Amino acid sequence: MREDDLPAVGEIAAQLHPAYPEDGRIFAERLQLYPNGCLVLEMNDSVLGYVISHPWRHRQPPTLNSLLQILPVRPSTYYIHDVALLPTARGLGAVTQLMSRLSRIAQDDGLLTLSLVAVNGSREFWSRQGFVAIDDPALEEKLNSYDLAARFLCKDLAAS
Ligand SMILES: CC(C)(COP(=O)(O)OP(=O)(O)OC[C@H]1O[C@@H](n2cnc3c(N)ncnc32)[C@H](O)[C@@H]1OP(=O)(O)O)[C@@H](O)C(=O)NCCC(=O)NCCS
């Protein structure tokens, strides 16, 4: 992802995540803080999808639409903030390739887990990618900033 991809990323986010609105400055901040974990899927010069991810603190998912300011000095998980593909880019195996790439980035950073907040009814999809739900009452307030069905999921890279 480059800075000039940000308008397209914002449009895809608005289209696919209308219930979880985030300002453009959130995407711009993630790209600035951790460009390695911000990727776009491009076909014929059009951006058809993106992922935003970065090292983070385990079991402390950021509140929706919040700036991080800085990344932790000692991160304890690799956090996937968002993955979104337009319908034309789905079913092509992009996510499987993406997960291998993110797992490698995490492991290169010495991180042994991937984690994310599942929304949009995507929990089953993530289960098939090897993620399991962590039910922790301490997470409730953060998760409720997404919606009442949001779940915190984690994948143990040492087990895969
Ligand atoms: C989630 C997403 C990236 C998956 O990409 P994809 O290329 O469709 O992934 P795959 O082809 O590997 O797997 C698709 C399977 O997961 C299912 N699936 C994907 N997203 C789902 C969702 N939000 N809810 C329920 N099922 C979903 C599909 O129905 C499909 O099932 P099938 O294999 O039985 O047909 C894409 O569907 C997407 O961008 N969705 C909208 C944004 C979103 O919900 N992101 C996740 C938020 S945490």
Side-chain angles (χ1 to χ4, degrees), residues 16-17 82-86 89-96 116-122 125-126 128-129:
L16 299 183
H17 294 306
D82 191 10
V83 181
L85 297 178
L86 289 173
R90 294 182 196 167
L92 305 176
V95 174
T96 305
L116 55 87
V117 173
V119 295
N120 257 353
S122 62
F125 167 77
W126 290 116
R128 278 190 261 153
Q129 295 287 339

Side-chain angles (χ1 to χ4, degrees), residues 22 26 29-30 54-57 59-68 71 77 79-81 115-117 139 141-146 152:
E22 290 198 300
I26 304 297
E29 187 210 43
R30 285 357 181 229
H54 53 84
W56 195 239
R57 289 182 280 272
R59 292 186 180 227
Q60 293 182 41
T63 306
L64 183 67
N65 201 25
S66 63
L67 292 169
L68 303 177
L71 293 178
T77 190
Y79 184 72
I80 302 175
H81 176 82
S115 56
L116 55 87
V117 173
L139 292 169
E141 196 184 325
K142 292 277 179 59
L143 294 176
N144 289 349
S145 73
Y146 290 80
F152 183 70

Side-chain angles (χ1 to χ4, degrees), residues 6 8 13 16 25-26 35 47 51 62 65 76 83-84 89 95 102 104 106 127 130 139-140 154:
L6 288 169
L16 299 183
R25 66 196 177 116
I26 304 297
V47 174
V51 60
N65 201 25
S76 42
V83 181
V95 174
L102 296 185
R104 272 200 309 276
S127 300
L139 292 169
E140 242 169 60
C154 182

